[in-house]
Amino acid sequence: MSIHKLLYSLLFTFVATVTFAQTGKITGVVLDENNKPIEGVNVSTLSTSVTTDAYGFYVIEVPAQQKVTINFKHVAFKMVTQNFEVQPKEVLEFNPVMDSEYEQLGQVVISGVRPRATGVITVTPEVVRKIPGLNGGVENILKILGANGNSDMSTQYSVRGGNYDENLVYVNEVEIYRPFLIRSGQQEGLSFVNSDLIQKIDFYAGGFEAKYGDKMSSVLDITYEKPKEFGASLDASFLGGALSAKGISKDKKWSAIGGVRYRDNSLLVNSQETQTNYRPRYMDGQLNVNFMPSEKWNHSFLGNVSLNRYNYQPLTRQTNFGTLDEPIALQIFYEGQEDDRYQTLFGAYKTTFKPNDNNNYRFIASAYHTQEQEYFDIDASYFLGEVDANIGSETFGNVTFNRAIGSQLNHARNNLDALIFNAEIKGSNNQTGKHRFDWGVKYTHENIRDRIVEWEVIDSAGFSLNPPVIDIPVDQPYHPYIGPLVPYQNVRATNFVDINRFSGYAQWNTRTRLRRGTLIATAGVRAHNWTVSGQNIASKSQTVFSPRVQLAYKVDGKDLLYRFSTGFYYQPPFYRELRDQFGVVNPNVKAQQSFHVVLGNEYGFKMWERPFRLVSELYYKDMQDVNTYTLENVRIRYRANNDAVAYAYGLDVRLNGEFVKGTESWFTFGYMKTEENQNNRGYIARPTDQRLKFGILFQDYMPNIPNLKLYMNIVYNTGLPGGSPSYADAYTYQSRLRDYRRADVGFFYVFTEKNAQRPNGHWLKKFKDLSLGFEIYNMFNNQNAITNTWVRDAYTKNQYGIPNYMTTRVFNLRLTARL
């Protein structure tokens, strides 16, 4: 008997081993139409079934090298069916979206831009990690999908006529803040969002729901990954590197994901016109920890530490401008340096209580602390001259005659210390799968300690220039000037400000069957009360209410969706909006108000037997109590007096699909016009008035060498208004910068492309992705300008707008690896 048992045991072991080797796995997260995970979904084949956990996650083992049908079933949703065929030991990811009203057949993997009733654009993290660009982050792809950004090294963006301060950014439902004193993209460093940690990206370009906060333009909603297994990634290039890791405990209760990043912009700075002697370096670290003691409770912590050092010592600069008939050159010789430091600490705690499938409650507390220093003393001696345009001349291209000589001394000792604390409670209640109620209340305390000391002295041709606000007749050199010598620009202020905010929202969502389709409706209202007080500041309290409505109609039997959104979007002033251009805090600044009307359409179709999607949105925004501002590179200085009204309207069109089989590409077009009227003086272009926009994100591969991938990112924007000199009247300076044209391309050789065909034990099977890439930034070497430098000539009384050109063509080598 013992021999028989031994033989049976050996036979069983052999069969089990062979069976395991001939199976694969399907894994993923099951989501509802609002992109929320669904718990308790039955995932089954003819022989196996599993159930999704509290996060909608599932893993099911299926036979290899044969077609298998998997059914996703839930009592509150229609069934989803999908066919698979996997290789031995292969793991495929499939993320179905279950709808409570209609069934889905065929492939519904979340990839690229997917339709939503609320007009959200969803992007996969894989696309974000591969798209070529100087920033290499989420903001890089937003400039393709609807946002505008004309700064090569900045992660800031504007949406539909708004400025950089009008965009909400959330990570795991926690609001994220940016540094205050940043004035140029090369000072900015790293974006808060770490692309290696992302699970889901949602972007709303306007008309968003009441559950999102009080800004006027857009929402970027990021969800970090909750690990289900161990993993790691490495990204290294000439611009720096990033390292991340994730893992989960044996009892599945603890999980964590984190990463560190280092950035060195020397490669980019050396390509600019201004010759410098410095290396801008930035680094940060992030950690997201989750603890799930039971199915009803989940706790998480998100922390971030960021250290940016910007030691800048300019040497020389020469910028050629003008026309072919009259070329002009600006030559500048610098002395002095700039020493900027930005240190931010951020921590957030979130706990989620889910007593049953229909109710969900969250408590979120966060703290943000930033210490910023901006010190500089830079003396610039400039020569404005005529360039020899005679091709046959020995001095061709050189300055032959100086028409203006001058100097400019800039001084700053700016310090800012800000502490922001948030505490909020949110709830979601789902009734019978057709009605959903969302609500929330939030308290915010902002403590700002700010010192600003800036002055600028200008000497043109030996004569000190007074600011335009001082009206003293000057007739030099014929009569000596005996008035006071004052800086051309002088800002001195010390502010200690406290802002307390109470806000809340209530929102209702429902779905109704109509004769030929489904109507999805969302209605909600927000309330916001804020009080401004501080040292030598009279306390001022204000309250606003923001009703918002979204409607969508899904046509039966067709991949066709119509959307309509409208509502009021108030933006209560943040500290920077309270401080005017002289550094004085005005507590009476009102909330800027924007009334949105958005009409949208989504149409899915097939071309060349491949799926495509066309999305179009027509929008109009009417703005009241507008807080006008000036824009210097990426720094915003408000006038803090609500003295204007404005409007913006336009059209956004996006087409995405498989232009090349097996890859997804995007083509976008946008037209937008925005103008403002200050004190009834007439409408002029706003600083963000960018009329036309074209964007392409194209993916391709070589048919004979499928391991070789191509990613191309092309952006064309018409020119922005060029701004105006300090203290000048914007109505007399309405010139525009040249059009923004940029093409970035990346060639990647993917070593893991054929992993499914490799034998077990091959060293490449350990990697989910291993690729080596060669990137070209600004491939066509276009000269793009971010703003103008204004040079004054005392003799001719002219002011010249000299474009500040950004980076030229740059080459980069990049290695990426993911376990």
Side-chain angles (χ1 to χ4, degrees):
M1 292 295 292
S2 59
I3 296 177
H4 286 287
K5 289 183 178 179
L6 178 60
L7 291 176
Y8 281 126
S9 299
L10 292 175
L11 180 61
F12 177 80
T13 303
F14 174 77
V15 173
T17 303
V18 173
T19 303
F20 176 77
Q22 298 301 317
T23 62
K25 292 182 179 179
I26 310 296
T27 182
V29 178
V30 183
L31 305 171
D32 64 13
E33 62 271 17
N34 296 315
N35 223 26
K36 303 296 183 182
I38 307 174
E39 182 181 3
V41 177
N42 179 262
V43 184
S44 63
T45 65
L46 292 176
S47 58
T48 310
S49 68
V50 296
T51 304
T52 59
D53 63 13
Y55 300 104
F57 179 79
Y58 73 94
V59 177
I60 187 169
E61 192 171 278
V62 297
Q65 295 179 331
Q66 58 179 283
K67 289 186 178 180
V68 178
T69 300
I70 297 183
N71 297 318
F72 297 82
K73 299 179 181 179
H74 191 280
V75 293
F77 297 86
K78 292 296 183 180
M79 184 175 66
V80 174
T81 301
Q82 176 64 33
N83 296 322
F84 294 94
E85 183 173 351
V86 301
Q87 300 300 320
K89 290 190 175 181
E90 184 180 10
V91 179
L92 292 181
E93 182 178 353
F94 178 69
N95 303 304
V97 180
M98 301 188 72
D99 195 291
S100 58
E101 292 295 334
Y102 61 93
E103 296 186 7
Q104 291 182 324
L105 301 177
Q107 188 177 10
V108 289
V109 179
I110 300 177
S111 175
V113 181
R114 196 169 62 81
R116 288 289 189 275
T118 53
V120 62
I121 304 171
T122 301
V123 184
T124 59
E126 288 75 16
V127 174
V128 174
R129 298 183 188 114
K130 291 296 185 182
I131 181 174
L134 294 182
N135 298 309
V138 176
E139 296 84 358
N140 198 26
I141 198 171
L142 295 185
K143 297 173 184 179
I144 293 289
L145 299 178
N148 290 332
N150 278 23
S151 179
D152 291 348
M153 291 185 288
S154 174
T155 59
Q156 302 197 52
Y157 55 90
S158 63
V159 178
R160 295 180 177 176
N163 66 31
Y164 308 135
D165 290 340
E166 297 179 13
N167 305 307
L168 285 162
V169 179
Y170 292 96
V171 173
N172 294 348
E173 295 191 279
V174 182
E175 186 174 355
I176 304 302
Y177 301 90
R178 293 177 179 270
F180 293 76
L181 298 182
I182 298 294
R183 70 172 65 207
S184 66
Q186 56 200 29
Q187 296 172 322
E188 190 171 336
L190 296 162
S191 165
F192 179 93
V193 180
N194 189 329
S195 301
D196 292 331
L197 313 184
I198 295 175
Q199 175 180 308
K200 182 169 66 73
I201 306 165
D202 289 343
F203 179 65
Y204 302 80
F208 44 91
E209 300 172 352
K211 68 178 182 179
Y212 292 109
D214 297 289
K215 296 285 187 179
M216 293 200 301
S217 292
S218 72
V219 175
L220 176 62
D221 192 2
I222 303 292
T223 301
Y224 276 178
E225 181 182 355
K226 291 183 179 178
K228 301 299 180 182
E229 59 183 0
F230 172 79
S233 68
L234 170 69
D235 191 316
S237 73
F238 292 151
L239 294 175
L243 181 66
S244 68
K246 62 182 179 180
I248 187 170
S249 63
K250 291 184 179 180
D251 60 5
K252 308 298 183 182
K253 292 185 177 182
W254 289 90
S255 65
I257 185 171
V260 293
R261 295 179 294 176
Y262 172 78
R263 177 85 171 183
D264 187 335
N265 276 346
S266 300
L267 185 68
L268 309 178
V269 171
N270 293 334
S271 72
Q272 294 181 310
E273 286 186 322
T274 302
Q275 301 301 310
T276 61
N277 181 23
Y278 84 118
R279 289 184 64 185
R281 287 169 287 183
Y282 322 96
M283 62 184 304
D284 81 337
Q286 287 191 31
L287 178 65
N288 186 23
V289 180
N290 293 279
F291 173 56
M292 189 173 180
S294 67
E295 294 183 356
K296 293 184 178 181
W297 284 97
N298 181 65
H299 307 274
S300 65
F301 170 79
L302 174 64
N304 177 77
V305 178
S306 176
L307 300 174
N308 294 349
R309 291 293 303 272
Y310 180 79
N311 296 321
Y312 177 64
Q313 186 179 1
L315 302 176
T316 62
R317 167 185 171 179
Q318 177 170 333
T319 302
N320 297 325
F321 64 104
T323 63
L324 292 175
D325 295 332
E326 190 179 0
I328 304 174
L330 172 68
Q331 293 178 305
I332 305 177
F333 299 90
Y334 295 97
E335 291 185 2
Q337 64 179 352
E338 181 172 352
D339 183 13
D340 300 337
R341 303 181 184 183
Y342 308 92
Q343 175 180 300
T344 60
L345 301 174
F346 174 84
Y349 166 76
K350 176 182 175 181
T351 182
T352 302
F353 175 60
K354 189 174 183 180
N356 50 56
D357 292 339
N358 296 324
N359 296 282
N360 184 295
Y361 305 97
R362 288 99 66 200
F363 170 75
I364 304 172
S366 66
Y368 174 83
H369 184 215
T370 179
Q371 292 179 310
E372 304 176 26
Q373 166 189 303
E374 187 181 41
Y375 290 0
F376 58 79
D377 289 283
I378 297 179
D379 179 54
S381 299
Y382 65 85
F383 302 84
L384 195 64
E386 298 178 359
V387 179
D388 187 357
N390 187 358
I391 298 178
S393 173
E394 295 181 355
T395 59
F396 173 72
N398 297 329
V399 177
T400 57
F401 174 75
N402 287 323
R403 65 168 63 176
I405 300 174
S407 65
Q408 181 173 318
L409 175 60
N410 287 278
H411 168 92
R413 293 294 184 271
N414 299 331
N415 292 91
L416 185 138
D417 190 313
L419 177 63
I420 303 174
F421 173 78
N422 293 281
E424 60 181 319
I425 299 175
K426 294 182 177 181
S428 299
N429 307 96
N430 192 13
Q431 298 182 1
T432 67
K434 291 188 176 182
H435 299 277
R436 179 186 177 94
F437 296 92
D438 295 279
W439 55 271
V441 291
K442 180 179 180 181
Y443 167 73
T444 301
H445 175 72
E446 302 163 8
N447 177 254
I448 312 294
R449 298 168 293 282
D450 179 31
R451 182 192 72 167
I452 177 171
V453 178
E454 287 186 21
W455 51 260
E456 176 185 19
V457 176
I458 298 177
D459 184 288
S460 182
F463 310 121
S464 180
L465 300 184
N466 285 324
V469 294
I470 299 180
D471 187 16
I472 300 177
V474 178
D475 191 20
Q476 299 180 75
Y478 307 105
H479 296 91
Y481 174 70
I482 59 175
L485 291 177
V486 296
Y488 188 85
Q489 182 177 204
N490 189 15
V491 179
R492 297 174 181 268
T494 300
N495 300 313
F496 296 89
V497 181
D498 289 294
I499 306 175
N500 291 293
R501 304 179 187 272
F502 293 91
S503 61
Y505 68 90
Q507 181 174 294
W508 169 64
N509 177 274
T510 186
R511 301 170 64 89
T512 303
R513 285 289 304 164
L514 299 181
R515 183 178 179 182
R516 296 182 179 179
T518 301
L519 178 66
I520 308 167
T522 302
V525 62
R526 289 191 64 86
H528 193 126
N529 171 270
W530 73 99
T531 302
V532 180
S533 61
Q535 183 175 308
N536 300 321
I537 298 176
S539 179
K540 177 67 175 181
S541 180
Q542 301 180 58
T543 303
V544 293
F545 295 91
S546 305
R548 305 171 187 178
V549 175
Q550 294 81 32
L551 300 174
Y553 179 70
K554 173 68 174 63
V555 179
D556 286 343
K558 297 181 180 179
D559 194 354
L560 184 61
L561 181 75
Y562 298 96
R563 290 198 310 267
F564 171 75
S565 302
T566 187
F568 290 90
Y569 294 81
Y570 285 91
Q571 181 163 319
F574 202 58
Y575 170 72
R576 188 156 65 172
E577 298 165 73
L578 296 170
R579 192 183 71 179
D580 66 14
Q581 55 189 336
F582 302 105
V584 178
V585 173
N586 179 10
N588 297 312
V589 174
K590 300 178 182 179
Q592 299 184 84
Q593 173 189 328
S594 178
F595 176 70
H596 289 201
V597 177
V598 182
L599 294 173
N601 172 264
E602 295 188 21
Y603 175 55
F605 60 96
K606 282 194 173 183
M607 185 167 57
W608 309 313
E609 298 300 320
R610 303 171 199 161
F612 287 85
R613 181 163 295 277
L614 179 65
V615 181
S616 59
E617 285 191 338
L618 186 68
Y619 60 89
Y620 177 79
K621 298 197 293 188
D622 179 77
M623 290 167 274
Q624 304 291 326
D625 295 324
V626 173
N627 195 347
T628 55
Y629 59 91
T630 59
L631 189 62
E632 176 189 349
N633 204 313
V634 296
R635 184 184 71 171
I636 298 174
R637 285 285 173 87
Y638 291 92
R639 295 186 176 89
N641 54 13
N642 300 111
D643 65 344
V645 296
Y647 68 84
Y649 65 81
L651 171 68
D652 284 338
V653 179
R654 297 187 300 273
L655 174 65
N656 71 284
E658 293 188 20
F659 291 91
V660 177
K661 188 175 182 179
T663 67
E664 191 164 23
S665 300
W666 289 263
F667 290 81
T668 66
F669 164 77
Y671 172 80
M672 188 267 296
K673 182 178 181 180
T674 180
E675 291 184 325
E676 63 187 18
N677 183 353
Q678 300 180 23
N679 296 318
N680 293 319
R681 298 178 60 189
Y683 282 93
I684 59 173
R686 304 193 77 196
T688 54
D689 182 36
Q690 200 157 42
R691 298 295 172 87
L692 293 177
K693 171 186 175 64
F694 297 91
I696 299 175
L697 175 58
F698 189 75
Q699 303 182 64
D700 198 359
Y701 60 91
M702 295 185 64
N704 296 329
I705 313 177
N707 300 59
L708 187 59
K709 311 289 186 180
L710 177 143
Y711 301 89
M712 182 175 291
N713 179 14
I714 300 176
V715 176
Y716 170 81
N717 299 331
T718 52
L720 286 166
S724 59
S726 299
Y727 298 110
D729 186 355
Y731 277 78
T732 61
Y733 290 88
Q734 284 295 298
S735 61
R736 287 183 178 267
L737 299 169
R738 63 175 61 186
D739 294 349
Y740 180 86
R741 297 165 296 170
R742 186 175 184 89
D744 300 325
V745 63
F747 302 92
F748 287 84
Y749 188 85
V750 183
F751 297 95
T752 53
E753 179 71 15
K754 298 182 179 180
N755 263 5
Q757 304 173 14
R758 292 189 171 98
N760 295 330
H762 195 284
W763 67 276
L764 283 174
K765 297 279 281 188
K766 299 178 182 179
F767 294 90
K768 293 180 179 178
D769 176 44
L770 179 62
S771 58
L772 181 65
F774 177 70
E775 297 178 321
I776 307 175
Y777 304 135
N778 196 4
M779 182 170 60
F780 301 114
N781 204 27
N782 294 311
Q783 282 190 311
N784 296 311
I786 180 65
T787 51
N788 283 324
T789 293
W790 296 91
V791 176
R792 303 156 184 85
D793 180 8
Y795 280 116
T796 64
K797 309 299 182 183
N798 290 329
Q799 296 193 71
Y800 298 91
I802 315 299
N804 295 317
Y805 294 124
M806 292 178 284
T807 57
T808 57
R809 185 187 295 115
V810 176
F811 301 95
N812 185 37
L813 193 65
R814 182 179 173 191
L815 173 68
T816 61
R818 299 184 69 82
L819 296 175

